[in-house]
Amino acid sequence: MTDFQDAKALVQAQYADLLAATTQDVATVLARRMTADALWRGVDPFGVVAGPDAAAGAFWGPYLRSFAHVKRREDIFFAGLNEIDGFSSVWTCSMGHLQGLFDAPWLGIPATRKIAMLRYAEFTRVEGGQIVEVAFFCDILHLMRQAGIVAFPDQTAQHLVQPGPLTGDGRLLTPQDAAEGEKTLARINTMIGSIDAANRDPRARTPREELLENWTEDFTWWGPEGIGATYTIDRYIEQHQGPFRQHIADRSFNGHLCRMAEGTYGAFFGWPNLTITNAGAYMGVPGNDVRADLRVVDVYRREGEKLAENWIFFDTLHWLGMQGVDVLGDLGVG
């Protein structure tokens, strides 16, 4: 059994210190555990930067200027070895919401002076007792909707401030049975293989037959803003899988940067995962022939032999930007 407890403690200590940080000292707080050249990836418009000063400048400083009394409402936390590099690196995955009072404009989005919940998923690579790499995803469109700006009013599924696991056991702060993590990762890999097979021959199985191999009948899919959340295999097909496969063409899988599991939880992210063509006006964006990159996070909960819950994050602003759509600018808030 691999012991991830030191890595977990390091990242949790970093999170605790960030809650007490200010715009003046957040770079110093980050530097306590981040190496000087640590790679920090953020969804658009934050970008990819190196080092704690740059990470503070890209995200944490502006965020803390706009949101007061920030709390990290963490629903899922676990660690694992990264399958993509041959299980040689240790990563943690944290998912939930950053809760705060939206007291000053952020990214041009007008402040509400009300509670706001920023959906996030954060992957952290730990090496030699320090943080050497971070990938931070958040759902900016979801926050915009809380501020009254509905960029995609015709999304096919449901807007919700999304809860954590139904079982309430998503924060794995203690050691887990390694066999359970291997079982979760195997199921995730089988599911990826099912998608690949469907892409090669969409007529070999029906969507329902494809999904039943890896998902419980009543699984919940917690999708990003612009698509929304959906529930049960049939409604998932109707409200996400069907529209996506109907409107998106020429899907190319680019792979993942991290894919891991611990206990009954697993996750992956890519940079980008997919390159796709929005041929059929997906999400209301006019159809085009642009090959646009989609950076995606999937976080999973396994129940028994199958996957029962799935939380999804897209770097939607990046994908749209490659198609010439500037969501913040076009809405007059950027």
Side-chain angles (χ1 to χ4, degrees), residues 23 60 102 135 168 170 178 194 225 237 240 319:
T23 56
W60 283 107
F102 194 178
S194 295
E225 184 69 19
I237 294 169
H240 173 60
W319 180 70

Side-chain angles (χ1 to χ4, degrees), residues 50 67 106 110 114-115 140 193 221 223 228 268-269:
F67 294 85
W106 185 60
K114 297 177 181 179
I115 188 173
I140 295 169
W221 192 82
F268 59 66
F269 80 92

Side-chain angles (χ1 to χ4, degrees), residues 144-158:
M144 288 171 58
R145 185 161 182 149
Q146 295 171 58
I149 301 171
V150 184
F152 298 97
D154 299 323
Q155 67 178 27
T156 51
Q158 181 62 43

Side-chain angles (χ1 to χ4, degrees), residues 236-256:
Y236 170 79
I237 294 169
E238 174 189 337
Q239 296 172 357
H240 173 60
Q241 186 195 71
F244 187 83
R245 292 186 176 181
Q246 178 184 352
H247 296 293
I248 295 299
D250 302 323
R251 285 174 285 170
S252 297
F253 178 56
N254 302 309
H256 299 140

Side-chain angles (χ1 to χ4, degrees), residues 6-218:
D6 288 347
K8 291 180 183 179
L10 178 79
V11 174
Q12 286 292 322
Q14 185 83 326
Y15 290 166
D17 284 358
L18 279 171
L19 293 180
T22 67
T23 56
Q24 290 76 33
D25 69 2
V26 67
T28 301
V29 169
L30 289 170
R32 291 174 189 167
R33 297 175 185 88
M34 286 180 71
T35 60
D37 60 351
L39 184 66
W40 190 93
R41 290 183 173 89
V43 295
D44 274 8
F46 309 122
V48 180
V49 299
D53 287 347
F59 175 77
W60 283 107
Y63 177 79
L64 292 174
R65 277 192 292 273
S66 297
F67 294 85
H69 302 288
V70 174
K71 301 293 183 186
R72 183 181 293 256
R73 298 185 66 95
E74 185 177 66
D75 296 311
I76 292 175
F77 180 76
F78 64 94
L81 295 175
N82 181 10
E83 180 183 21
I84 304 305
D85 62 13
F87 301 103
S88 63
S89 60
V90 174
W91 291 72
T92 66
C93 175
S94 173
M95 191 210 79
H97 296 80
L98 295 178
Q99 173 183 313
L101 295 174
F102 194 178
D103 282 353
W106 185 60
L107 304 176
I109 305 168
T112 64
R113 299 193 72 255
K114 297 177 181 179
I115 188 173
M117 306 285 279
L118 180 65
R119 291 186 70 226
Y120 81 90
E122 186 170 15
F123 291 76
T124 304
R125 179 163 67 94
V126 176
E127 186 177 284
Q130 291 184 288
I131 293 169
V132 297
E133 187 172 353
V134 175
F136 183 84
F137 286 71
C138 63
D139 196 335
I140 295 169
L141 293 174
H142 189 269
L143 183 85
M144 288 171 58
R145 185 161 182 149
Q146 295 171 58
I149 301 171
V150 184
F152 298 97
D154 299 323
Q155 67 178 27
T156 51
Q158 181 62 43
H159 164 82
L160 294 169
V161 174
Q162 300 180 4
L166 179 66
T167 47
D169 62 355
R171 300 182 73 237
L172 308 186
L173 300 178
T174 58
Q176 304 294 308
D177 182 352
E180 290 298 302
E182 291 168 3
K183 189 174 181 180
T184 301
L185 187 59
R187 177 54 62 189
I188 291 170
N189 284 329
T190 301
M191 181 272 303
I192 293 170
S194 295
I195 294 174
D196 290 342
N199 288 339
R200 289 191 300 271
D201 184 1
R203 293 173 294 183
R205 292 193 293 181
T206 67
R208 166 169 267 281
E209 288 169 340
E210 173 197 338
L211 289 163
L212 274 172
E213 179 184 3
N214 298 296
W215 300 91
T216 62
E217 181 75 45
D218 61 347

